[in-house]
Amino acid sequence: MPVDPKTRQPLPPRSQPGYYAGFSTLSQQEFWDEATRSVVRARVEQVPPIRYFSAEEVRLMQAICDRLLPQDDRDDAHKILVVNYIDDRLYNRRIDGYRFEDMPEDQEAHRLGLQAIEAIAQHMFHSSFIQLEPLEQDQVLQSIHDCKPPAGHDIWQKMSVMHYWLLIMQDVLDAYYAHPYAWDEIGFGGPAYPRGYMRLEGGKPEPWEVHEQRYEWAAPPSSLSGEYSPVGGEGEHKQQTPGQEGTH
């Protein structure tokens, strides 16, 4: 949970974290066409059920997502069910249209990745990932981010460490930032069609948007989220962003 940088006390969860208090993308839905309105509302009102992951995999995947993109600053009613949307993509076999040549299909890659993360947790801390403290969980995931996993070597023979990291991060971020609650958090005004945007320069808000209201916060001490290093670790690997080089 983020903390007050002065008192170091946890900040209470909010229905709407971020710097745009009071803004609601869904309040603008009357200006969207019916197709757009249906798609966006479904992301709130029709959360897909779990159909791909097993119950055990869901628990592990949830614990991983809770560290990759923590939602401690959200109250329970406004948490975005990231795992459900990743599961839905895998169940329906929706893909980007390409795959890195050193990666299996996304469905298999995610299952192998879960097995590898559990193996690393057992190797580093002699416990299941789910049972670890937050900082220990971060250290397990950091080893994959740095492309230096200390265990699961048989799995990493089947897929690239870096490309697995990019896969899971892309899935987590795609699921989160496709949701209207995340749009509220970042002040995104929602679909531009058919109304469009008027103020494209100067950083000025549209008439239906709100001004940024910043507040101070810091990462909790039981977390690595306040630290930055490029994927692959400092000076070890060329950082690579998602793209089609080396794909088929």
Side-chain angles (χ1 to χ4, degrees), residues 2-234:
V3 300
D4 184 303
K6 295 181 179 178
T7 66
R8 309 306 296 178
Q9 294 300 308
L11 296 174
R14 305 173 178 217
S15 61
Q16 183 182 326
Y19 300 147
Y20 300 90
F23 176 67
S24 171
T25 305
L26 289 175
S27 70
Q28 301 301 308
Q29 61 182 285
E30 65 179 286
F31 298 102
W32 308 337
D33 62 29
E34 181 56 35
T36 301
R37 184 162 46 247
S38 296
V39 168
V40 175
R41 288 185 59 176
R43 295 175 185 174
V44 177
E45 300 170 357
Q46 301 174 28
V47 178
I50 298 295
R51 292 173 291 181
Y52 179 73
F53 291 124
S54 69
E56 183 178 353
E57 288 171 334
V58 166
R59 288 191 291 272
L60 177 54
M61 191 68 174
Q62 185 63 60
I64 293 167
C65 290
D66 286 345
R67 300 313 303 159
L68 295 179
L69 205 164
Q71 298 188 55
D72 297 339
D73 53 350
R74 288 187 174 277
D75 63 26
D76 289 341
H78 294 87
K79 281 185 166 59
I80 298 171
L81 301 181
V82 168
V83 175
N84 292 64
Y85 290 103
I86 296 175
D87 179 276
D88 186 64
R89 182 182 82 79
L90 298 177
Y91 178 81
N92 288 293
R93 304 187 69 84
R94 292 195 302 272
I95 60 175
D96 289 331
Y98 69 90
R99 174 161 53 90
F100 287 103
E101 60 188 1
D102 55 6
M103 290 292 289
E105 293 186 357
D106 290 355
Q107 290 82 356
E108 182 182 359
H110 271 290
R111 284 221 158 102
L112 289 173
L114 293 177
Q115 295 169 26
I117 288 171
E118 189 65 11
I120 296 169
Q122 292 289 347
H123 175 85
M124 293 178 66
F125 300 106
H126 309 289
S127 182
S128 169
F129 183 88
I130 295 175
Q131 301 299 323
L132 299 180
E133 295 297 322
L135 183 58
E136 295 171 335
Q137 292 179 334
D138 283 1
Q139 291 169 342
V140 169
L141 297 173
Q142 183 78 40
S143 74
I144 300 176
H145 168 279
D146 291 346
C147 297
K148 297 178 180 178
H153 302 300
D154 57 330
I155 294 174
W156 303 121
Q157 294 295 318
K158 300 176 183 178
M159 65 178 182
S160 160
V161 181
M162 176 179 287
H163 288 154
Y164 169 69
W165 178 259
L166 295 179
L167 171 68
I168 192 170
M169 285 305 305
Q170 178 174 317
D171 273 343
V172 169
L173 294 172
D174 282 355
Y176 187 84
Y177 285 106
H179 199 284
Y181 291 167
W183 298 351
D184 297 344
E185 179 182 353
I186 63 176
F188 173 54
Y193 179 82
R195 174 172 56 183
Y197 289 110
M198 297 184 295
R199 298 173 178 171
L200 302 180
E201 299 178 358
K204 296 180 180 179
E206 300 291 342
W208 59 88
E209 295 177 330
V210 299
H211 288 277
E212 184 180 273
Q213 303 173 51
R214 299 190 71 85
Y215 58 90
E216 296 299 321
W217 63 275
S222 60
S223 168
L224 297 179
S225 62
E227 303 178 12
Y228 169 77
S229 63
V231 176
E234 296 289 352

